[in-house]
Coordinates of all heavy atoms in Angstrom, one line a residue:
G1 N 0.8 -1.2 0.0 CA 0.0 0.0 0.0 C 0.8 1.3 0.0 O 0.3 2.4 -0.1
G2 N 2.2 1.1 0.1 CA 3.0 2.3 0.1 C 3.3 2.8 -1.3 O 2.9 2.2 -2.3
C3 N 4.1 3.9 -1.3 CA 4.3 4.6 -2.6 C 5.8 5.0 -2.7 O 6.4 5.4 -1.7 CB 3.5 5.9 -2.7 SG 3.8 6.9 -4.2
V4 N 6.3 4.8 -3.9 CA 7.7 5.2 -4.2 C 7.6 6.2 -5.4 O 6.8 6.0 -6.3 CB 8.6 4.0 -4.7 CG1 9.9 4.5 -5.1 CG2 8.7 3.0 -3.5
E5 N 8.3 7.3 -5.3 CA 8.3 8.3 -6.3 C 9.6 8.4 -7.0 O 10.6 8.5 -6.3 CB 7.8 9.6 -5.7 CG 7.6 10.7 -6.7 CD 7.1 12.0 -6.1 OE1 6.9 12.0 -4.8 OE2 7.0 13.0 -6.8
V6 N 9.7 8.4 -8.3 CA 10.9 8.6 -9.0 C 10.7 9.8 -10.0 O 9.7 9.9 -10.6 CB 11.3 7.3 -9.8 CG1 10.3 6.8 -10.7 CG2 12.6 7.5 -10.5
G7 N 11.7 10.6 -10.1 CA 11.5 11.8 -11.0 C 12.8 12.5 -11.2 O 13.9 12.1 -10.8
A8 N 12.7 13.7 -11.8 CA 13.9 14.6 -12.0 C 13.4 16.0 -12.0 O 12.2 16.3 -12.4 CB 14.6 14.2 -13.3
V9 N 14.2 16.9 -11.6 CA 13.9 18.3 -11.7 C 15.1 19.1 -12.2 O 16.3 18.6 -12.1 CB 13.5 18.9 -10.3 CG1 12.2 18.3 -9.8 CG2 14.7 18.7 -9.3
R10 N 14.9 20.2 -12.8 CA 16.0 21.0 -13.3 C 16.6 21.7 -12.1 O 15.9 22.3 -11.2 CB 15.5 22.0 -14.3 CG 16.6 22.8 -15.0 CD 16.2 23.4 -16.3 NE 17.3 24.0 -17.0 CZ 17.3 24.3 -18.3 NH1 16.2 24.1 -19.0 NH2 18.3 24.8 -18.9
D11 N 18.0 21.7 -12.0 CA 18.7 22.3 -10.9 C 19.8 23.2 -11.5 O 20.9 22.7 -11.6 CB 19.3 21.2 -10.0 CG 19.9 21.8 -8.7 OD1 19.8 23.0 -8.5 OD2 20.3 21.0 -7.9
G12 N 19.5 24.4 -11.8 CA 20.4 25.3 -12.4 C 20.8 24.8 -13.8 O 19.9 24.6 -14.6
A13 N 22.0 24.6 -14.1 CA 22.5 24.1 -15.4 C 22.5 22.5 -15.4 O 22.9 22.0 -16.4 CB 23.9 24.6 -15.7
M14 N 21.9 21.9 -14.3 CA 22.0 20.4 -14.3 C 20.6 19.9 -14.1 O 19.6 20.7 -13.9 CB 22.9 20.0 -13.1 CG 24.3 20.6 -13.1 SD 25.2 20.1 -11.7 CE 25.5 18.4 -12.1
V15 N 20.4 18.6 -14.2 CA 19.2 17.9 -13.9 C 19.4 17.0 -12.7 O 20.4 16.2 -12.7 CB 18.7 17.1 -15.1 CG1 17.5 16.2 -14.7 CG2 18.2 18.0 -16.2
R16 N 18.6 17.0 -11.7 CA 18.8 16.2 -10.5 C 17.7 15.1 -10.5 O 16.5 15.4 -10.5 CB 18.7 17.1 -9.2 CG 18.7 16.3 -7.9 CD 19.0 17.2 -6.7 NE 18.0 18.3 -6.7 CZ 16.8 18.2 -6.1 NH1 16.4 17.0 -5.5 NH2 15.9 19.2 -6.0
F17 N 18.1 13.9 -10.5 CA 17.2 12.7 -10.4 C 17.0 12.5 -8.9 O 17.8 12.7 -8.0 CB 17.8 11.5 -11.0 CG 18.0 11.6 -12.5 CD1 19.1 12.1 -13.1 CD2 16.9 11.1 -13.3 CE1 19.2 12.1 -14.5 CE2 17.1 11.1 -14.7 CZ 18.2 11.7 -15.3
F18 N 15.8 11.9 -8.6 CA 15.5 11.6 -7.2 C 14.7 10.4 -7.1 O 13.9 10.0 -8.0 CB 14.9 12.8 -6.4 CG 13.5 13.1 -7.0 CD1 12.3 12.5 -6.5 CD2 13.3 14.1 -8.0 CE1 11.1 12.8 -7.0 CE2 12.1 14.4 -8.4 CZ 11.0 13.8 -8.0
V19 N 14.8 9.6 -6.0 CA 13.9 8.5 -5.6 C 13.6 8.7 -4.2 O 14.5 8.9 -3.3 CB 14.6 7.2 -5.9 CG1 13.7 6.0 -5.4 CG2 15.0 7.0 -7.3
Q20 N 12.3 8.7 -3.9 CA 11.9 8.8 -2.5 C 10.7 7.9 -2.2 O 10.0 7.5 -3.2 CB 11.5 10.3 -2.2 CG 10.4 10.9 -3.0 CD 10.3 12.4 -2.8 OE1 11.3 13.1 -2.5 NE2 9.1 12.9 -2.9
D21 N 10.5 7.6 -1.0 CA 9.4 6.7 -0.6 C 8.8 7.0 0.7 O 9.3 7.8 1.5 CB 9.9 5.2 -0.6 CG 10.9 5.0 0.4 OD1 10.6 4.9 1.6 OD2 12.1 4.9 0.0
D22 N 7.6 6.4 1.0 CA 7.0 6.6 2.3 C 7.1 5.4 3.2 O 6.3 5.1 4.0 CB 5.5 7.0 2.2 CG 4.7 6.0 1.4 OD1 5.3 4.9 1.1 OD2 3.6 6.2 1.1
G23 N 8.3 4.7 3.0 CA 8.5 3.5 3.8 C 9.0 3.8 5.3 O 8.8 4.9 5.8
I24 N 9.6 2.9 5.9 CA 10.0 3.0 7.3 C 11.2 3.9 7.5 O 11.4 4.3 8.7 CB 10.2 1.6 7.9 CG1 11.3 0.9 7.2 CG2 8.9 0.8 7.9 CD1 11.6 -0.5 7.7
G25 N 11.9 4.3 6.5 CA 13.0 5.2 6.7 C 14.3 4.6 7.2 O 14.3 3.4 7.6
I26 N 15.3 5.4 7.4 CA 16.6 5.0 7.9 C 17.0 5.9 9.0 O 17.0 7.2 8.9 CB 17.7 5.0 6.8 CG1 17.3 4.1 5.6 CG2 19.0 4.6 7.4 CD1 18.1 4.3 4.4
A27 N 17.3 5.4 10.2 CA 17.7 6.2 11.3 C 18.9 7.0 11.0 O 19.8 6.6 10.2 CB 18.0 5.3 12.6
A28 N 19.0 8.2 11.6 CA 20.1 9.1 11.2 C 21.5 8.5 11.5 O 22.4 8.7 10.7 CB 19.9 10.4 12.0
E29 N 21.6 7.7 12.6 CA 22.9 7.2 12.9 C 23.3 6.1 11.9 O 24.5 5.7 11.9 CB 22.9 6.6 14.4 CG 21.9 5.4 14.6 CD 20.6 5.9 15.1 OE1 20.2 7.1 14.8 OE2 19.9 5.1 15.7
H30 N 22.4 5.5 11.2 CA 22.7 4.5 10.2 C 23.0 5.1 8.8 O 23.5 4.3 8.0 CB 21.6 3.5 10.1 CG 21.4 2.7 11.4 ND1 20.2 2.2 11.8 CD2 22.3 2.3 12.3 CE1 20.3 1.5 12.9 NE2 21.6 1.6 13.3
Q31 N 22.6 6.3 8.6 CA 22.7 6.8 7.2 C 24.1 6.9 6.7 O 24.3 6.6 5.5 CB 22.0 8.2 7.2 CG 20.5 8.1 7.3 CD 19.8 9.5 7.3 OE1 20.4 10.5 7.0 NE2 18.6 9.5 7.8
P32 N 25.1 7.2 7.5 CA 26.5 7.2 6.9 C 27.0 5.8 6.4 O 27.9 5.7 5.7 CB 27.3 7.7 8.1 CG 26.4 8.4 9.0 CD 25.1 7.7 8.9
M33 N 26.3 4.7 6.8 CA 26.8 3.4 6.5 C 26.1 2.7 5.3 O 26.5 1.7 4.8 CB 26.6 2.5 7.7 CG 27.3 2.9 9.0 SD 27.1 1.8 10.4 CE 25.4 2.0 10.7
I34 N 25.0 3.3 4.8 CA 24.2 2.6 3.9 C 24.8 2.4 2.5 O 24.4 1.5 1.8 CB 22.8 3.3 3.7 CG1 23.0 4.7 3.1 CG2 22.0 3.4 5.0 CD1 21.7 5.4 2.8
F35 N 25.8 3.2 2.2 CA 26.5 3.0 0.9 C 27.7 2.1 1.0 O 28.5 2.0 0.0 CB 26.9 4.4 0.3 CG 25.7 5.1 -0.2 CD1 25.1 6.1 0.6 CD2 25.1 4.9 -1.4 CE1 24.0 6.8 0.2 CE2 24.0 5.6 -1.9 CZ 23.4 6.6 -1.1
E36 N 28.0 1.5 2.1 CA 29.1 0.6 2.2 C 28.7 -0.8 1.7 O 27.5 -1.3 1.9 CB 29.5 0.4 3.7 CG 30.0 1.7 4.3 CD 31.3 2.3 3.6 OE1 32.1 1.4 3.1 OE2 31.4 3.5 3.4

């Protein structure tokens, strides 16, 4: 029943892609580790 949103917006001379969701999220203390 949740939702994921994918899109892009113009950001100055660039285009910024984004992915966001309304899931359970990631605690702030864990965020530095998620790309390991």
